Amino acid sequence: MSNATGTILRAFGTILCLIIFWYFVVSIIYFVITLVLGFEFDLRVSLALFVVFTIFRMFYPKNVFI
Amino acid sequence: MELQKAGTGLPNMERVFIKRILVPIVRTFFTWEIALFMVKREVSIITNLTKDISQIDMQKQIIIDRTFAIEDDSRRFSIDMVLEHLVIAGALVKDTIKSLSSETVPPQEIKIEDVKPFENSTEALEKFLVFYQTYFDMIETLPKKQSIATKKHPWFVSFNNFDWSIFMYMHTFIHRRQIEEIISKLKEIHE
């Protein structure tokens, strides 16, 4: 494997780790809320919350595409 | 081998990939703390990579294959030159972050040619470690507020103070990979 390919793979590996990290952060908060309010943890809801969180991060505190 | 001159920039595909894909993704998932943690990790990796290399090898300039996000001219750097470049460019980034944090745009234009190494000094590693410690100290005491003021990177888009702190990580990472490639070529020479 070339150094350049290795660098790109490492960059995506880092991003993947961050995505997993933020998914766990969102899911743990959601899990605590389910315990406090006494309803069931739903995987689809946790994924939906993560998508909402990601979209929120894309535009606040600044638009990441500009 | 004839290399392109300093300031030529990255191949267009690579530049667009970084500008349109990598920059938005890292902006989304990084925080000040994550960026600082990652820079510290890179400095630790570079320290470990270079600790057993002789001074002669540290200063030896060999042409390596192009590595990702490094312009052609930088392919002939020695390890000491890479470290020197990290200090020169890092000092500029550090000043830019500090300035943007007080909503002041640094007046001078950032030029790639201006951050090229010129000494190939034996003290490069020591200077590198001292500089990065000052960078860590500055970021740790900086109010973690994203600035409205921005400063354009010559290859990419306009960055605010937070974006420059992520850039500091990406830049150190890219050059750590360059050091790894130089070490691998040095090993080939010694075999």
Side-chain angles (χ1 to χ4, degrees):
Chain A
M1 188 197 302
S2 75
N3 184 289
T5 311
T7 305
I8 295 167
L9 289 177
R10 279 169 178 78
F12 277 112
T14 303
I15 290 162
L16 189 65
C17 288
L18 285 171
I19 289 171
I20 293 167
F21 167 76
W22 284 115
Y23 172 71
F24 273 102
V25 169
V26 171
S27 296
I28 287 167
I29 294 168
Y30 168 57
F31 180 68
V32 170
I33 292 169
T34 62
L35 288 180
V36 171
L37 300 180
F39 55 88
E40 213 170 295
F41 182 91
D42 189 332
L43 192 67
R44 281 173 302 177
V45 173
S46 73
L47 287 170
L49 286 171
F50 176 66
V51 171
V52 170
F53 166 81
T54 304
I55 294 169
F56 179 77
R57 286 281 305 178
M58 281 176 178
F59 297 100
Y60 184 84
K62 72 170 279 190
N63 184 343
V64 298
F65 301 103
I66 297 172
Chain B
M1 186 188 284
E2 189 73 24
L3 300 179
Q4 291 177 343
K5 65 178 171 76
T8 307
L10 299 180
N12 206 33
M13 271 276 284
E14 213 164 283
R15 194 180 56 79
V16 171
F17 171 74
I18 295 170
K19 188 174 168 176
R20 298 286 169 219
I21 297 173
L22 271 188
V23 169
I25 292 176
V26 295
R27 274 170 164 173
T28 303
F29 294 109
F30 269 68
T31 63
W32 286 96
E33 289 75 18
I34 292 172
L36 181 63
F37 169 80
M38 297 299 273
V39 178
K40 284 183 178 176
R41 184 174 170 271
E42 289 304 321
V43 171
S44 164
I45 294 172
I46 290 172
T47 309
N48 284 328
L49 281 171
T50 52
K51 70 179 177 194
D52 294 328
I53 296 177
S54 70
Q55 198 46 251
I56 296 167
D57 281 346
M58 286 288 280
Q59 289 181 290
K60 196 175 278 172
Q61 285 182 253
I62 20 173
I63 295 181
I64 57 166
D65 296 334
R66 251 202 91 249
T67 57
F68 180 71
I70 293 201
E71 70 172 7
D72 206 40
D73 172 71
S74 305
R75 284 171 53 202
R76 57 163 165 233
F77 287 0
S78 66
I79 297 172
D80 274 340
M81 288 169 81
V82 177
L83 297 176
E84 189 186 338
H85 165 70
L86 283 170
V87 172
I88 299 169
L92 198 60
V93 172
K94 181 174 166 250
D95 290 345
T96 304
I97 293 173
K98 205 172 176 181
S99 188
L100 291 175
S101 296
S102 55
E103 299 296 348
T104 309
V105 182
Q108 77 278 16
E109 191 191 341
I110 298 172
K111 284 185 186 164
I112 299 298
E113 307 90 287
D114 296 343
V115 294
K116 295 289 176 184
F118 52 88
E119 282 185 341
N120 200 10
S121 155
T122 52
E123 291 161 11
L125 181 60
E126 197 182 321
K127 286 180 180 172
F128 166 82
L129 294 172
V130 169
F131 165 73
Y132 270 84
Q133 190 54 54
T134 66
Y135 175 78
F136 301 153
D137 294 343
M138 189 211 57
I139 294 291
E140 276 160 9
T141 55
L142 197 75
K144 306 294 183 290
K145 185 177 179 295
Q146 291 205 30
S147 67
I148 296 161
T150 59
K151 180 79 182 169
K152 195 182 181 320
H153 184 285
W155 292 344
F156 310 119
V157 290
S158 284
F159 292 157
N160 68 7
N161 57 352
F162 170 67
D163 298 330
W164 278 108
S165 81
I166 303 173
F167 173 81
M168 189 70 166
Y169 156 63
M170 298 299 288
H171 184 247
T172 314
F173 163 65
I174 292 297
H175 286 289
R176 183 257 289 183
R177 293 288 298 154
Q178 183 185 9
I179 290 172
E180 286 176 337
E181 182 65 12
I182 296 170
I183 291 171
S184 128
K185 286 280 178 215
L186 283 169
K187 278 182 185 158
E188 277 176 28
I189 290 170
H190 291 310
E191 277 168 10

